[in-house]
Amino acid sequence: MNRLRSTFPQSPRTKPGGFTIIELLVVITIMSLLMAILLPALANARRTARRTECSTHLREVGLATSMYLQTEKAFPSLNNEPEDGHWQYNYVIWDGRDYQHNFGPLTQSHLFPDMRILYCPTQESPFHQLNTFVNPWPSKQLLDTRAAYGRRPRVSGMDVTQMPPGRSLYADLFHTPEYVASSHKRGINVAYIDGSVKFVANFDALVDNNMTLPTSLIDNPTMMKIWTRLDMK
């Protein structure tokens, strides 16, 4: 006599919970590929945003200068040295004694409601960041306070009517190639006498020169060569 088969349905075998090693490896591989694709894009977006913020700061510096010139009629001296002295020393706010040079008079005229305007967000040097142990703000006696932007030499005592609209006036620091390499890396933001700002890609004289610190009169011709190259033709 044949054994009767059960009329009850057989329960299927259940698969053990969790992922297999192969499935985990596939997921990890996919995630790695996504990260490899997205991280450079995110880094580039962050770099672009900081460059845009920097250009906004420079535009505000240019606006503050325009307002200053409406009353004072002429640019202040670049630094505390005769005939603008060392042209690499073009970023002073407070020279350890007074506010008489470069950004100092504009600061004392309250044309920078937020001092962060004078600082590029990509600048890594503590000598050119706001309120560090070597760059204090508020200022302190015998210690320089520096901006993260430099002004063109040989405009002291001049007014805007004596300069063409394409003349470069302010820029990210470039007084050594290292400062260019550690900031926007691919170039610098430049503000012009007409109020415009543009990003200028690296060129040989900007990144391949022998300028060093401390500043030297020997480097003045190189500085002027770069400023001339930055002018809009």
Side-chain angles (χ1 to χ4, degrees):
M1 182 176 174
N2 293 333
R3 186 176 296 176
L4 294 176
R5 298 186 176 215
S6 172
T7 57
F8 294 101
Q10 299 292 318
S11 59
R13 292 185 179 180
T14 58
K15 187 177 180 179
F19 294 102
T20 66
I21 293 178
I22 294 177
E23 289 171 331
L24 284 172
L25 289 174
V26 170
V27 171
I28 291 171
T29 301
I30 293 173
M31 290 180 65
S32 299
L33 288 172
L34 288 174
M35 290 178 65
I37 294 171
L38 293 176
L39 285 179
L42 290 173
N44 186 59
R46 184 169 180 264
R47 185 165 52 246
T48 300
R50 296 175 77 186
R51 193 170 78 192
T52 300
E53 183 181 355
C54 170
S55 67
T56 299
H57 287 185
L58 272 174
R59 190 170 286 107
E60 293 187 47
V61 171
L63 178 61
T65 301
S66 178
M67 295 173 66
Y68 176 84
L69 292 174
Q70 288 178 16
T71 57
E72 300 300 326
K73 306 303 180 185
F75 285 93
S77 56
L78 185 64
N79 49 49
N80 54 15
E81 302 175 30
E83 298 182 358
D84 289 348
H86 301 76
W87 296 348
Q88 291 166 282
Y89 185 47
N90 61 351
Y91 39 71
V92 65
I93 301 172
W94 161 266
D95 67 355
R97 293 165 292 183
D98 55 59
Y99 290 98
Q100 295 179 7
H101 312 288
N102 202 7
F103 294 115
L106 282 72
T107 301
Q108 289 300 93
S109 298
H110 307 290
L111 293 172
F112 300 120
D114 187 342
M115 287 299 289
R116 286 177 294 183
I117 291 171
L118 288 170
Y119 295 89
C120 173
T122 68
Q123 183 52 247
E124 298 178 353
S125 169
F127 289 96
H128 297 280
Q129 293 177 331
L130 179 61
N131 196 22
T132 65
F133 69 102
V134 290
N135 197 47
W137 186 259
S139 58
K140 295 181 180 180
Q141 287 293 324
L142 305 180
L143 287 177
D144 285 7
T145 298
R146 313 163 187 83
Y149 300 116
R151 198 196 83 188
R152 185 192 189 101
R154 285 187 163 177
V155 300
S156 300
M158 299 175 65
D159 64 32
V160 291
T161 63
Q162 297 173 275
M163 289 174 278
R167 178 67 53 85
S168 54
L169 182 59
Y170 296 109
D172 284 304
L173 297 177
F174 59 80
H175 53 288
T176 73
E178 289 75 20
Y179 274 88
V180 178
S182 66
S183 186
H184 297 293
K185 306 184 188 308
R186 298 178 181 176
I188 58 174
N189 278 317
V190 183
Y192 295 86
I193 196 67
D194 64 356
S196 63
V197 176
K198 76 172 185 177
F199 185 76
V200 178
N202 287 338
F203 50 90
D204 289 344
L206 182 66
V207 296
D208 186 14
N209 60 66
N210 296 318
M211 292 194 297
T212 60
L213 295 176
T215 61
S216 171
L217 290 171
I218 296 174
D219 292 323
N220 281 5
T222 303
M223 286 293 289
M224 185 51 69
K225 179 180 179 181
I226 295 172
W227 282 109
T228 302
R229 174 71 182 271
L230 294 174
D231 291 342
M232 289 192 292
K233 304 300 185 287

